[in-house]
Amino acid sequence: MPNFLPINTILVPQGAEYKAVCRGLSGITASIPTIVPIPVGMKPLLKYLQQGQFLTPKSRVLIMGICGSLSDRYTVGDLVLYQDCVYQGKQQECDRTFTTQLHSALSTQHSALNLVKSLTSDRLIWSASEKRHLGETLAADVVDMEGFTALEFFNAAGVSVAMLRVVSDDCQHNIPDLTPAINSDGSLNPFPLAIAMLRQPFAATRLIRGSLTALKVLEQVTNLLFSGSSNK
């Protein structure tokens, strides 16, 4: 595996995704990047990044986490590496050199690594029919709520960014509408979250199962990435 470190910083949405990445790095003795939990959603993330003091130009940032599929080609547990993100007709590209290095480092170990186009949404896309519609009309493969904002910010600052995510929900089934559970600061509110889950028990069960699968892959790929690089 080629040694493409240093990756200076890993940004990952706070909560379960952040914990999965931390678990993946536990026990690795080599130097590891700073792991920063970020808020969920475009506005909270932008506000957070504008306050951040942890980045310098020429640094390399890896954004990790989970995402939703907009295409039949990608199902729960699939590992995806972003080429770019689109939002309202605008496009931001990930750093090509960094992305290519990650791809070559991981594709030998993880044959199911897919290069994808991503849509960033300023709201949760919970309906399967809307996901398929967005995938078809925008030619996007996956959706998240942070990618475009992060790329726009870091590209302007001269910081190299790559994005590696795991699909946690497919485009064949609805997930619960968790919009009321996302606070304005990008954190999750447990009480509305529980209510949303209880209202749609089958969708909730599927979301939990898919999330657990995706988080396990996220933990494994984090471990693979940094244990593999540290051996060189």
Side-chain angles (χ1 to χ4, degrees):
M1 183 181 283
N3 186 357
F4 54 83
L5 295 178
I7 293 171
N8 307 79
T9 310
I10 296 176
L11 301 186
V12 58
Q14 61 195 9
E17 293 161 84
Y18 173 73
K19 288 174 184 169
V21 169
C22 289
R23 282 196 303 274
L25 290 172
S26 66
I28 289 179
T29 51
S31 62
I32 57 173
T34 307
I35 315 168
V36 181
I38 57 173
V40 173
M42 298 182 75
K43 284 182 181 172
L45 177 59
L46 181 59
K47 187 177 177 184
Y48 176 81
L49 291 174
Q50 287 169 338
Q51 297 165 349
Q53 302 298 316
F54 53 88
L55 294 167
T56 53
K58 304 299 178 193
S59 61
R60 286 182 144 194
V61 174
L62 177 61
I63 297 174
M64 301 184 79
I66 59 179
C67 61
S69 174
L70 300 178
S71 161
D72 290 334
R73 291 192 301 275
Y74 304 104
T75 57
V76 171
D78 282 355
L79 186 65
V80 294
L81 185 61
Y82 286 17
Q83 291 176 299
D84 52 45
C85 289
V86 294
Y87 173 69
Q88 292 185 350
K90 293 177 289 186
Q91 183 180 26
Q92 290 284 338
E93 291 200 356
C94 295
D95 184 272
R96 285 190 181 178
T97 305
F98 188 7
T99 301
T100 301
Q101 288 171 333
L102 268 175
H103 189 263
S104 63
L106 283 169
S107 53
T108 50
Q109 310 271 337
H110 210 292
S111 56
L113 179 62
N114 303 282
L115 282 165
V116 297
K117 295 177 72 72
S118 172
L119 166 69
T120 300
S121 174
D122 51 16
R123 61 189 174 82
L124 186 78
I125 310 294
W126 57 270
S127 146
S129 58
E130 186 180 10
K131 281 190 187 180
R132 289 194 299 271
H133 175 72
L134 288 168
E136 288 160 12
T137 53
L138 300 173
D141 302 303
V142 296
V143 60
D144 68 43
M145 295 176 68
E146 299 86 26
F148 183 89
T149 300
L151 279 179
E152 190 172 48
F153 180 85
F154 289 125
N155 284 347
V159 174
S160 299
V161 179
M163 292 199 206
L164 186 65
R165 290 191 183 241
V166 184
V167 175
S168 63
D169 49 284
D170 62 29
C171 66
Q172 298 298 324
H173 305 94
N174 294 345
I175 60 171
D177 182 5
L178 304 181
T179 308
I182 301 174
N183 295 325
S184 59
D185 65 355
S187 62
L188 282 175
N189 192 330
F191 187 60
L193 181 66
I195 291 173
M197 293 289 215
L198 288 169
R199 281 193 180 133
Q200 296 166 283
F202 292 112
T205 303
R206 194 177 291 112
L207 175 65
I208 292 166
R209 200 179 295 137
S211 297
L212 290 173
T213 299
L215 291 168
K216 190 67 189 168
V217 174
L218 187 63
E219 179 185 336
Q220 289 166 346
V221 77
T222 304
N223 185 272
L224 183 75
L225 195 53
F226 291 96
S227 59
S229 307
S230 64
N231 291 336
K232 297 292 176 192

